[in-house]
Amino acid sequence: MSTRPLDEVADLVRAKNAGPFWLTLDVFLPTDEAYERVCASGVVDPVVVGGLYRTPPEKVRIFRQPTLRVIKISFPRPAVQGTLADRDMHSGQQHVLLASVPVPDALPESVG
Amino acid sequence: MTAHNEVAPSPTGPAGSVRIVFPIGMLGGWFPEETLSRALELGADAIAVDGGSTDSGPHYLGASTPKSARGAVKRDLRVMLVAARGAGIPVVVTSCGTSGTDAGVDWVADIAREIAAEEGLSFRLARIYSELSRETVLEALAAGRIDPLEPADALTAEVVESCSRIVGLMGHEPITDALAAGADLVLTGRATDTSSVAAIALGRGIAAGPAWHAAKTVECGSQCTTEPLGGGVLVEVDDEGFTIHPLNDTAAATPMTVAAHMLYENADPFRMREPAGTLDTSAAVYTAVTDRVTRVVGSIFEEAAQATIKLEGAALRGYETISLVGIRDPHILAHMDEWLDRFVTLGLGPRVRSSLGLEPDAYEVELRAYGHNAVLGDLEPAHDATDIPREVGVLLRIRAADQATATAIAKVANPIMLHLPLEGMTHLPSYAFATSPAEIERGASYEFVLQHAIRVDDERDLFRTEFEEVAP
């Protein structure tokens, strides 16, 4: 099945601190159809997201808001904000990893 | 019909509503003066603004210094105070001085007194302090009243004792009390982002669901509109809901922009804990009143059986010295990972041991190759080996127990940063230092160490309020 990166499907993919101990990612989709395709992709899979950010999948919280066509993903920051190991004080550049996740160009055909 | 008339009076707000202007996401961030003149034309009942955040890191709490320039804070506060005294409405500034320490409240109070003298203003000032001593927190810990918040572990006395500064995040109660006692200007220590607007609305008897949801929506000013950098917002709150009016002719508050702000800097898009309970927006309905004004109803606030006060604490972790060198030679750039590995393993460790007598556990080293992988580090996806950056800036960060040691290690590193060759190179390359001296002393280095909350009988318990009559 052909795919393209989330970056090319979404209106906006953004990342930010949610306090010093959490990182949160927001995905804004332009249409219900795009939202459904993203919901059929690794973007909403805690294993895929956890792999990108080296975070245990059970720590990854994924929220779906179909009325807003938004997906929100939150997990504990891999490094606490402002520690010597932290590379991004506001977490503002951490969206690029999620933005590369492939999204199918078409919804899988329903069975039956 | 002009944009002004379009929003005044509100087409939706029932009697008994309160109108609050939130001009900017952070005091000192600058907003146009007409933001407030327009808000006053619309019948603003109060002005609220946030003066702080943890978002710029632990330094401001650890060192108890503000992030914003004094002149920028004074400029914004002057515009607000002159407008508010002219209209006879109160001003609330939360989280003064960025981190909300006692010194931060005093810093803004001093600026307010200066403005009063210069502008000939008189007003009743309430200062609400939220800094907590280590002893207070240790007592609460010993009494079993402190719980960890995810992802933290249970708190230990050792962690509390490591804190240079601790603040508690106040909710609405101390602010509502100060306003009820006639304060014209309320300056608070650390508070939740929402507490100012919620306190004003709850103090007028508005229902808690709309009050807290309105507060969350406007806590970054224009960010809930189509123009995040423009002109602030006025929120009209009543018992059924709230209505967002942008204060800039070209900005629009749409159901999408208003709803989206509930996502911002919030781990959970539907539920947000405050000292008094939890805001639940999962049943909220967002409706366009006009193409620029949005109305929200259906928000719920669940009162908690037990009030809790979230803590923030910053601990001193040593002292830091940095230096920055640029690499432009493509022969080096083609082997950046190898160069970075050689720097620490072959270069720095042995020299620091032999020159300074320090083992690797006595200091910390971070090398950040900007242009290569500084921002994502190990998370950086594999690159095409032929994809060589044009140039890379290598930032060396050294942290040690004292400043002199950190700088000494950075000085030992200096000739390595200047000349480190790749394996097999027969000449000594030289790289491009940014500054002389190369070493830049960054001072004390702090880290956030508290992600915990204290259970309290009354959410006022941990906070102290002082009143003062300010006159020119």
Side-chain angles (χ1 to χ4, degrees):
Chain A
M1 183 189 297
S2 63
T3 65
R4 66 189 67 200
L6 176 62
D7 203 30
E8 295 177 20
V9 178
D11 277 342
L12 175 66
V13 184
R14 71 181 182 189
K16 199 76 190 353
N17 296 331
F21 296 86
W22 284 81
L23 193 162
T24 193
L25 298 152
D26 299 331
V27 181
F28 295 80
L29 284 318
T31 62
D32 291 342
E33 186 269 342
Y35 174 86
E36 291 303 327
R37 284 192 286 123
V38 172
C39 285
S41 76
V43 172
V44 295
D45 183 344
V47 175
V48 171
V49 176
L52 288 174
Y53 294 92
R54 308 258 174 100
T55 295
E58 64 273 18
K59 300 278 189 194
V60 178
R61 303 173 66 191
I62 298 178
F63 302 91
R64 302 180 191 206
Q65 291 187 283
T67 52
L68 288 177
R69 299 188 295 270
V70 162
I71 293 158
K72 186 171 186 64
I73 302 173
S74 301
F75 47 87
R77 255 173 156 277
V80 172
Q81 182 201 11
T83 55
L84 203 62
D86 180 25
R87 293 167 174 272
D88 185 351
M89 191 63 63
H90 297 77
S91 294
Q93 289 294 298
Q94 301 304 306
H95 61 286
V96 294
L97 294 171
L98 188 73
S100 70
V101 172
V103 174
D105 285 335
L107 279 170
E109 285 180 34
S110 55
V111 179
Chain B
M1 181 183 279
T2 69
H4 292 214
N5 294 335
E6 187 184 336
V7 289
S10 160
T12 54
S17 67
V18 59
R19 296 175 178 198
I20 303 162
V21 54
F22 210 96
I24 181 74
M26 180 138 124
L27 182 69
W30 198 88
F31 56 88
E33 286 194 32
E34 66 181 24
T35 291
L36 290 183
S37 50
R38 181 163 298 184
L40 294 177
E41 286 170 27
L42 298 178
D45 296 303
I47 301 171
V49 73
D50 197 5
S53 168
T54 57
D55 213 32
S56 293
H59 169 81
Y60 306 100
L61 176 58
S64 189
T65 55
K67 176 188 175 184
S68 304
R70 191 179 195 278
V73 168
K74 186 172 178 180
R75 182 271 175 193
D76 283 2
L77 192 57
R78 183 195 304 274
V79 173
M80 292 195 302
L81 275 175
V82 168
R85 295 325 307 140
I89 61 175
V91 177
V92 179
V93 183
T94 47
S95 299
C96 287
T98 307
S99 63
T101 58
D102 290 358
V105 176
D106 290 339
W107 184 69
V108 179
D110 187 56
I111 294 170
R113 292 184 201 104
E114 222 172 81
I115 294 167
E118 291 166 7
E119 299 288 342
L121 302 177
S122 300
F123 51 85
R124 183 158 216 226
L125 167 64
R127 306 185 311 271
I128 312 179
Y129 294 99
S130 68
E131 195 167 328
L132 304 176
S133 69
R134 287 184 288 268
E135 291 69 31
T136 299
V137 178
L138 286 169
E139 282 169 24
L141 179 64
R145 290 195 285 113
I146 300 189
D147 301 311
L149 303 173
E150 201 180 350
D153 296 323
L155 188 58
T156 64
E158 190 183 5
V159 169
V160 177
E161 280 157 0
S162 76
C163 289
S164 299
R165 305 270 172 186
I166 303 171
V167 289
L169 279 75
M170 75 181 74
H172 69 287
E173 293 278 13
I175 303 169
T176 301
D177 288 353
L179 292 169
D184 302 304
L185 173 63
V186 181
L187 301 177
T188 85
R190 190 70 173 124
T192 65
D193 293 346
T194 41
S195 60
S196 57
V197 168
I200 294 162
L202 292 166
R204 303 285 182 103
I206 303 287
W212 286 106
H213 193 184
K216 169 59 190 170
T217 301
V218 300
E219 51 108 11
C220 285
S222 300
Q223 201 148 342
C224 63
T225 73
T226 51
E227 291 184 28
L229 298 178
V233 289
L234 181 102
V235 61
E236 179 165 29
V237 200
D238 57 72
D239 281 341
E240 305 301 320
F242 63 94
T243 307
I244 300 283
H245 306 271
L247 291 169
N248 168 339
D249 279 341
T250 55
T254 70
M256 188 63 86
T257 63
V258 170
H261 195 71
M262 191 63 200
L263 305 169
Y264 191 67
E265 294 180 341
N266 214 11
D268 186 321
F270 304 114
R271 294 177 65 79
M272 199 176 64
R273 180 67 209 246
E274 294 286 341
T278 300
L279 170 66
D280 183 339
T281 64
S282 55
V285 177
Y286 304 79
T287 309
V289 176
T290 71
D291 56 5
R292 299 183 53 236
V293 174
T294 285
R295 169 98 176 142
V296 183
V297 298
S299 331
I300 294 162
F301 191 78
E302 302 164 359
E303 299 284 342
Q306 171 85 58
T308 57
I309 300 298
K310 189 180 174 194
L311 302 175
E312 289 168 355
L316 180 67
R317 289 290 193 240
Y319 292 79
E320 193 177 324
T321 299
I322 63 173
S323 57
L324 176 64
V325 75
I327 300 179
R328 181 65 179 79
D329 185 334
H331 300 102
I332 305 295
L333 294 170
H335 304 280
M336 271 317 298
D337 286 321
E338 180 194 334
W339 190 91
L340 294 165
D341 286 346
R342 282 168 65 83
F343 187 100
V344 176
T345 54
L346 293 179
L348 188 60
R351 289 200 196 182
V352 169
R353 183 186 290 114
S354 67
S355 303
L356 304 177
L358 292 172
E359 294 301 322
D361 62 0
Y363 59 95
E364 296 163 273
V365 182
E366 285 279 335
L367 267 185
R368 297 282 165 75
Y370 283 89
H372 177 61
N373 69 349
V375 175
L376 293 180
D378 292 344
L379 303 182
E380 186 66 55
H383 276 161
D384 182 341
T386 62
D387 182 14
I388 297 170
R390 175 176 296 186
E391 67 179 28
V392 166
V394 178
L395 178 72
L396 174 71
R397 301 178 68 182
I398 302 287
R399 188 162 71 184
D402 58 75
Q403 189 75 69
T405 303
T407 298
I409 295 167
K411 284 174 184 280
V412 168
N414 184 282
I416 311 171
M417 283 183 91
L418 177 58
H419 290 309
L420 182 71
L422 290 168
E423 189 173 6
M425 283 178 73
T426 55
H427 76 286
L428 207 56
S430 297
Y431 306 112
F433 268 109
T435 58
S436 169
E439 293 74 32
I440 302 165
E441 295 191 336
R442 291 229 318 111
S445 170
Y446 298 93
E447 293 184 357
F448 286 120
V449 293
L450 295 182
Q451 166 78 340
H452 299 81
I454 301 189
R455 276 174 269 126
V456 291
D457 296 329
D458 185 308
E459 67 166 88
R460 302 169 182 84
D461 285 354
L462 297 171
F463 308 105
R464 296 148 285 136
T465 303
E466 306 280 349
F467 290 97
E468 169 186 346
E469 304 299 330
V470 177

